[in-house]
Amino acid sequence: MPLPLYLLALAVFAMGTSEFMLAGLLPAIASDLDVTVATAGVLTSAFAVGMTVGAPLVAALARNWPRRAGLLGFVLVFAAAHVVGAVTTSFPVMLATRAVAALANAGFLAVALTAAATLVPPDRKGRALAVLLSGTTVATIAGVPGGSVLGTLLGWRATFWAVAALCLPAALGILKGIPAGRAKEGETDGPALRAELARLTGRRLVLAMLLGALVNAATFASFTFLAPVVTGTAGLDELWISVVLMLFGAGSFVGVVVAGRLSDRRPGAVVAVGGPLLLLGWPTLAVLAEEPAALFVLVFVQGAASFALGGTLITRVLYEAAGAPTMAGSYATAALNVGAAVGPLVAAATLGTGLGDLGPLWASGLLVGVALLIAFPFRTVVAAGSA
């Protein structure tokens, strides 16, 4: 894999740390900003909504920009939003900073996904996506747990400062590793924007985006509210939140590696194994969450299955959107973040029911079930490998 791909993954690591880190910080943020934990969970959805809306809009705006300038600008805006978030005492301002950060993240990821697909041969998009998403999985393994520990020891604001600092080496890497000129000749002379947007009328592309969104919704529904499960249901100390997040991240890394090796040629195998595993795993975790040993094992397994299946479905989005070379990354980003927006909202609605802290886990199982019901009649389409 080419070096620029790994430099893009470094920036994705910083942004992934921010996107996921609230899972371990929500109780502290809620207390400091004088809102409920469920209300604080809206910060996750606001970030996802900003990415969903921003991905196609920013990608359309930046489709002919020099890639290095665009990627560098997005990283710097992202860093500035976290500086403001680190000093604010207002929940509405915090909400606004998450939206701005999301727009910057969306623009970056949309351009980076498209760039990653052009850095490798046409039949290795899954491998390129796996490298890029490894930034996210490393964030869940190291960045998010580290942020949780930092937040516990120094306060949640220190985590926001740390993310802003992480953006600096990422920006330097982009500056040094991404060519200064525009995209290669021919890439910007491709289909017109209207033709690329017309790809969204294709049923195969819409199906891949819908399934990817549902699986990611299930992932974020539970991941966002893991902290109350760890400290409430399992009765563990706050520092164990970092351990659980790290286990989920380690599982997600395994899942991305699997998806990277199989999603190009054998996506059906990933769906056939990962789908039922997720469908059974989330309710099983809800039933056994009181037992720390079971909690640890199942969190790892669910992280692996979630990212293997989700990564495979997002790879399908890139293949089905091959006729939209500058917008394909934004379609994949939108699919990911529709799920990231819907999942926490569905999960938050269950917290006030008799299910309590375990409600999000049951909600995740339901969302996966819906995805599999939709996918089953189209299983031959979902299982199609690269041409």
Side-chain angles (χ1 to χ4, degrees):
M1 292 289 108
L3 177 62
L5 197 55
Y6 292 96
L7 297 173
L8 294 177
L10 175 63
V12 172
F13 167 74
M15 294 181 176
T17 297
S18 173
E19 184 171 7
F20 287 102
M21 70 183 182
L22 294 188
L25 302 175
L26 280 184
I29 292 175
S31 176
D32 194 16
L33 301 183
D34 196 26
V35 296
T36 66
V37 172
T39 299
V42 175
L43 293 172
T44 299
S45 293
F47 193 94
V49 168
M51 289 194 67
T52 302
V53 175
L57 292 178
V58 179
L61 179 65
R63 66 195 301 263
N64 292 321
W65 290 0
R67 283 182 177 156
R68 186 171 77 175
L71 292 170
L72 184 62
F74 291 136
V75 168
L76 294 178
V77 170
F78 188 84
H82 283 76
V83 170
V84 176
V87 299
T88 187
T89 58
S90 166
F91 183 77
V93 172
M94 173 63 76
L95 197 62
T97 67
R98 297 305 285 171
V100 171
L103 288 172
N105 194 351
F108 179 88
L109 194 56
V111 176
L113 281 169
T114 301
T118 63
L119 291 172
V120 297
D123 62 346
R124 302 192 74 187
K125 291 180 182 179
R127 294 291 296 273
L129 179 63
V131 171
L132 199 62
L133 288 182
S134 69
T136 299
T137 59
V138 172
T140 59
I141 295 170
V144 175
S148 180
V149 170
L150 187 63
T152 299
L153 297 178
L154 300 178
W156 64 268
R157 297 179 188 278
T159 306
F160 276 71
W161 284 112
V163 169
L166 273 176
C167 291
L168 300 182
L172 183 61
I174 292 169
L175 194 60
K176 296 294 185 181
I178 304 297
R182 293 182 180 272
K184 292 181 181 179
E185 188 69 26
E187 290 180 19
T188 56
D189 297 329
L193 178 60
R194 180 177 298 178
E196 294 200 48
L197 293 176
R199 299 291 298 183
L200 288 172
T201 61
R203 286 180 290 179
R204 293 166 64 102
L205 175 58
V206 172
L207 174 65
M209 292 175 67
L210 175 60
L211 296 178
L214 284 168
V215 170
N216 207 42
T219 302
F220 269 79
S222 289
F223 186 81
T224 301
F225 296 101
L226 272 180
V229 175
V230 174
T231 57
T233 304
L236 299 173
D237 187 78
E238 285 187 359
L239 287 176
W240 284 99
I241 295 174
S242 300
V243 175
V244 170
L245 295 178
M246 189 178 299
L247 287 170
F248 186 92
S252 69
F253 182 79
V254 172
V256 163
V257 171
V258 170
R261 295 187 178 280
L262 298 179
S263 60
D264 286 318
R265 296 294 182 182
R266 301 186 63 190
V270 180
V271 175
V273 175
L277 191 61
L278 279 179
L279 181 62
L280 295 174
W282 289 123
T284 302
L285 180 56
V287 171
L288 300 179
E290 292 183 353
E291 299 295 331
L295 174 66
F296 297 156
V297 172
L298 288 170
V299 161
F300 176 88
V301 171
Q302 292 305 97
S306 294
F307 274 74
L309 182 57
T312 297
L313 292 171
I314 295 304
T315 299
R316 299 313 311 158
V317 173
L318 293 177
Y319 276 116
E320 297 299 338
T326 66
M327 295 296 291
S330 71
Y331 300 157
T333 302
L336 283 169
N337 288 283
V338 165
V342 171
L345 292 177
V346 173
T350 68
L351 293 175
T353 68
L355 297 173
D357 292 340
L358 299 177
L361 303 178
W362 290 104
S364 292
L366 176 63
L367 289 165
V368 172
V370 172
L372 294 182
L373 285 174
I374 294 173
F376 186 76
F378 305 100
R379 56 193 179 278
T380 57
V381 174
V382 176
S386 62

